[in-house]
Amino acid sequence: MQIIIMHSRLTQAKSVTLSSKHVVSFLLAFFTLSVLCAIALMSLTARLAANDNKIAKALMPEALMPSSISGVTTNDRYLKENLTALAAKVGEMQAQLIRLDALGERVQGLAGVKPEEFNFKEAPGRGGMEIPLKNDLSLSDFEQSLDVMARDIGYRSDYLNVVESKLMSFKLQAKLLPTVVPVNVGYNASTFGRRIDPFSGRTAFHEGLDFSAPTGTPIVAAAGGVVVAAEYHPEYGNMLEIDHGGDMMTRYAHASRLYARVGDIVKRGQHIADIGSTGRSTGAHLHFEVRIKGIPQNPHKFLNAGTSSTDVTKLAGLVK
């Protein structure tokens, strides 16, 4: 191959003759230079990409970064999840405390404790010298404390429910026990037990108490119950019998007038009859009996008792 070179600075044209060796050498040199340029360009591109990735990581918002990029983000997410769970647990405990306060107020009323002596709606007074701990409370320790507190609240709620049931039972038993004096008089004319019979003059057993009062004096029910008898009896005259449950019955005899009828439900202290002198009687009075399973009991044991849980328990033991 012959190449003719012409230029204005050259006085005459020059010719260069290229052989096939020259052409092959030129092509090899051009190819080698192209490969080297491509390698250099690829290396430069990789470096630029790495730098751009670092810049993107630095500029990317923390909320959008993967957890593998930032350990702080993982800890924050863990804390947020645990705080949500703890907040839900605290909410449940607050609801339990509200129910516990209401239950405590009911038990307080049943027990007869005055509200000013113990107010469930006010936080108890606390104080004392501060002794700082060496180690701060960790999140796991706080969770354990909440779990223990939740269990304690549950135990106390169950205990108060049992106490409320017991107190309610005492209240009901007290209402069904004949503890109210049936006649408003200061003394009784004849006591329970052995005495001289006013008609025969012989020693006899008196099965109740005699309350002497003018004819027409109101007679009230000694306890709540159901009237099982309202009739005239040859010896007891106009007579009422009230069933109080538990095989306990009270009898009101010699009345001048009966206001209750068989099947009536009467409350303690309700006006049920008037004093008279009907039947086997020497004068106006009320003959009052208390019977358990048909056996006469001394009414003084009931009328002189209070309505405390101890008294009610003792009296209820007689019924059983």
Side-chain angles (χ1 to χ4, degrees), residues 3 30 46 51 66-67 86 92 104 107 158 178 192 241 248 251 269 279:
I3 300 174
F30 178 76
N51 291 333
S67 59
L86 291 177
E92 294 177 359
V107 172
D158 294 339
F192 176 86
E241 290 182 351
M248 176 178 285
R251 176 178 291 163

Side-chain angles (χ1 to χ4, degrees), residues 117-137:
E117 294 180 3
F118 192 90
N119 191 351
F120 282 88
K121 295 182 180 179
E122 292 182 0
R126 295 180 296 176
M129 185 177 66
E130 180 183 4
I131 303 177
L133 299 176
K134 294 181 180 180
N135 299 324
D136 294 333
L137 187 67

Side-chain angles (χ1 to χ4, degrees), residues 47-248:
R47 289 183 180 181
L48 290 176
N51 291 333
D52 290 341
N53 191 21
K54 291 181 180 180
I55 294 173
K57 290 179 181 179
L59 296 178
M60 184 181 297
E62 186 175 351
L64 300 177
M65 293 176 64
S67 59
S68 60
I69 297 176
S70 175
V72 178
T73 303
T74 305
N75 292 333
D76 289 344
R77 184 179 302 169
Y78 174 76
L79 288 175
K80 288 180 180 178
E81 292 175 354
N82 280 272
L83 286 176
T84 302
L86 291 177
K89 186 175 294 185
V90 169
E92 294 177 359
M93 292 174 62
Q94 288 176 341
Q96 289 179 340
L97 285 174
I98 292 174
R99 290 195 297 266
L100 200 59
D101 288 344
L103 180 60
E105 290 179 356
R106 291 199 303 270
V107 172
Q108 182 183 44
L110 289 173
V113 180
K114 297 180 180 179
E116 57 268 19
E117 294 180 3
F118 192 90
N119 191 351
F120 282 88
K121 295 182 180 179
E122 292 182 0
R126 295 180 296 176
M129 185 177 66
E130 180 183 4
I131 303 177
L133 299 176
K134 294 181 180 180
N135 299 324
D136 294 333
L137 187 67
S138 64
L139 184 61
S140 61
D141 294 336
F142 185 61
E143 289 179 344
Q144 288 180 346
S145 298
L146 283 181
D147 291 337
V148 172
M149 188 179 298
R151 286 196 299 269
D152 289 342
I153 290 176
Y155 294 153
R156 281 160 175 76
S157 179
D158 294 339
Y159 176 75
L160 276 179
N161 279 316
V162 173
V163 173
E164 183 190 24
S165 299
K166 288 292 184 181
L167 289 174
M168 185 66 72
S169 176
F170 288 143
K171 288 289 184 181
L172 293 176
Q173 288 178 352
K175 290 183 177 180
L176 296 176
L177 291 174
T179 56
V180 174
V181 179
V183 181
N184 187 18
V185 294
Y187 70 99
N188 53 284
S190 183
T191 58
F192 176 86
R194 296 172 63 88
R195 72 167 185 176
I196 301 298
D197 186 84
F199 289 94
S200 65
R202 294 191 299 267
T203 301
F205 189 84
H206 189 227
E207 296 181 340
L209 296 179
D210 287 343
F211 296 92
S212 181
T215 300
T217 303
I219 300 172
V220 299
V226 180
V227 177
V228 293
E231 60 191 16
Y232 182 85
H233 189 278
E235 294 185 353
Y236 291 115
N238 292 326
M239 177 191 69
L240 269 177
E241 290 182 351
I242 301 177
D243 186 358
H244 305 286
D247 294 323
M248 176 178 285

